[in-house]
Amino acid sequence: MEPSGFSDFYRLASATTGRDRRITWLGFRAIAWSLWTTRNKALIEGVFIRHPTDLLYKMVSFLQLWKLLAKR
């Protein structure tokens, strides 16, 4: 099942358990945090992303920084 919105994603994430659940929520947090910080940078500082892939790179960098949090 591929989520088509937040409610679908939440249902899918809630159905997972153990390590899969941690990884799913960590990924969701990286997506949400990337969108939030990009939005704030655009609204507050007037700095807009040049290309949508910039947002993907930001998500990956957050995941790399947070990978230690996924470990017990």
Side-chain angles (χ1 to χ4, degrees):
M1 176 181 147
E2 294 182 17
S4 61
F6 180 76
S7 60
D8 288 345
F9 179 82
Y10 185 77
R11 240 186 329 271
L12 179 65
S14 296
T16 59
T17 59
R19 181 171 168 76
D20 289 340
R21 186 179 187 121
R22 284 195 316 254
I23 290 171
T24 302
W25 283 109
L26 187 63
F28 175 71
R29 286 181 183 126
I31 292 167
W33 191 250
S34 299
L35 290 171
W36 184 260
T37 57
T38 301
R39 172 203 169 270
N40 285 350
K41 202 163 197 65
L43 289 175
I44 297 168
E45 299 173 21
V47 177
F48 297 92
I49 60 173
R50 295 181 188 169
H51 200 271
T53 55
D54 293 344
L55 193 57
L56 292 175
Y57 287 122
K58 184 178 259 194
M59 285 181 226
V60 169
S61 69
F62 282 135
L63 285 172
Q64 289 174 342
L65 289 172
W66 298 345
K67 69 182 176 183
L68 295 175
L69 298 176
K71 296 181 181 177
R72 282 191 176 222

